[in-house]
Amino acid sequence: ERDLEVLIVSEIVKSKALQSITAGLVLLVLMPAGVLRGAIITGTTDTLNGHAVSVFADVDSSNRLNNVGFLMSGAAVRDPGTPPAALYFTLPSQGAGTGFQVLELDWNPHGHEPPGVYDLPHFDFHFYYISDSERMAIPANATSAVAPQFLPAGYSQPGPTVPMMGGHAVDLTSAEFNGGIFSRTLVYGFHEGREIFVEPMITQAYLEGLSGASTSLIRQPGQYDMSVLPSLVPTSYRASYDLANDQYSVSVSDFIQPTAVPEPASLSLLVFPITAVIWLGARRSKVR
């Protein structure tokens, strides 16, 4: 009888364990589509040449925002198609503190102006502080100067606006303006004198050559325009490749309060010798 009791108890335990495992699998199947794993929460999704692209917010267990950005399947980077493309996204609610209302991914198979600088195949990753209706109302070739304190040291004044996008202030200390070749850079966008987006630009070749992750600083202005910026401002951008899942991500991170003192690297560049080509003219006509 004792052996029989032990056997019955053992079978009950096994049954309970099986039920727990089954319940866990059911929960995974029923998990909301917006949750990838852990604290990675996806926003809207689309396809580039038939390959998956989405946006995401990464929050920790304390609900603190780590980064927000784009997720691209390996195929979307390697085979984005031959025509130019523009995709638009909305972050999940967990990314609201950034103030980013629209995210835009542009694929430029032939690059864009100026010749010899940004005419390599590359992706533009726009993080807009304005609504989509405001973005769409931006005209072509409008010019407005930006107060110098609202530009990081070493950045140009924004060029004439690209329609439905804005004017671009470029980092004149980047390699491509100083005898090197463009691989990645950070652009600030403006319209009517106020900041409307931040934009990592990264070549297809650079992403294809990634192994692991690469993080770069977003240099900060001497003063923040508090009428424009939200509660969180990114101070770095990151590109990474996950080999196991064949997935790329491009994100902005290391958020600070915009009332904080900008990082010292920006101020030190006031004495940086710059030999650069000034960004003149509109970058390109908008692809719809």
Side-chain angles (χ1 to χ4, degrees):
E1 287 184 10
R2 180 61 178 169
D3 291 341
L4 181 59
E5 290 174 0
V6 170
L7 180 61
I8 291 172
V9 170
S10 175
E11 291 303 317
I12 290 174
V13 170
K14 289 180 181 178
S15 177
K16 292 292 184 182
L18 181 59
Q19 290 175 23
S20 297
I21 292 170
T22 303
L25 291 174
V26 169
L27 284 174
L28 284 174
V29 171
L30 297 179
M31 187 178 291
V35 179
L36 289 180
R37 62 181 77 87
I40 306 296
I41 303 127
T42 58
T44 54
T45 64
D46 207 332
T47 59
L48 180 61
N49 196 33
H51 310 304
V53 181
S54 63
V55 293
F56 74 96
D58 176 4
V59 294
D60 64 18
S61 58
S62 301
N63 209 35
R64 181 181 61 187
L65 191 63
N66 291 325
N67 52 65
V68 299
F70 298 81
L71 292 172
M72 304 175 68
S73 66
V77 169
R78 293 186 294 268
D79 180 31
T82 54
L87 306 176
Y88 299 89
F89 303 88
T90 303
L91 286 169
S93 60
Q94 288 81 358
T98 64
F100 296 135
Q101 299 188 49
V102 182
L103 271 62
E104 176 185 356
L105 170 65
D106 290 329
W107 161 235
N108 306 284
H110 306 293
H112 53 65
E113 296 89 350
V117 180
Y118 294 130
D119 53 2
L120 295 174
H122 71 269
F123 299 94
D124 297 340
F125 301 91
H126 292 84
F127 295 76
Y128 283 99
Y129 289 115
I130 57 175
S131 68
D132 205 41
S133 59
E134 290 176 286
R135 178 193 64 78
M136 292 183 70
I138 295 174
N141 298 319
T143 57
S144 293
V146 175
Q149 66 268 28
F150 297 143
L151 282 169
Y155 270 75
S156 71
Q157 282 285 329
T161 53
V162 175
M164 295 180 286
M165 186 177 290
H168 297 72
V170 297
D171 182 2
L172 299 177
T173 71
S174 292
E176 59 270 19
F177 289 111
N178 294 276
I181 297 174
F182 164 55
S183 62
R184 68 194 188 282
T185 192
L186 192 285
V187 175
Y188 277 92
F190 292 87
H191 182 48
E192 298 179 337
R194 68 188 184 108
E195 182 184 341
I196 60 169
F197 64 75
V198 291
E199 177 198 354
M201 296 201 312
I202 305 177
T203 64
Q204 181 186 34
Y206 182 83
L207 289 174
E208 288 182 307
L210 266 180
S211 177
S214 173
T215 300
S216 304
L217 285 178
I218 298 176
R219 296 209 313 280
Q220 303 298 303
Q223 183 180 330
Y224 295 108
D225 185 349
M226 298 308 296
S227 68
V228 174
L229 295 178
S231 59
L232 297 174
V233 171
T235 63
S236 69
Y237 67 98
R238 183 174 185 265
S240 67
Y241 177 58
D242 177 357
L243 177 62
N245 294 294
D246 190 24
Q247 187 176 65
Y248 291 87
S249 71
V250 175
S251 61
V252 294
S253 58
D254 295 321
F255 297 99
I256 61 171
Q257 299 292 326
T259 53
V261 177
E263 47 88 19
S266 293
L267 299 179
S268 68
L269 284 166
L270 286 171
V271 295
F272 190 90
I274 299 171
T275 55
V277 178
I278 302 298
W279 181 292
L280 296 174
R283 275 179 22 181
R284 56 185 171 83
S285 297
K286 182 65 183 163
V287 177
R288 293 301 294 167

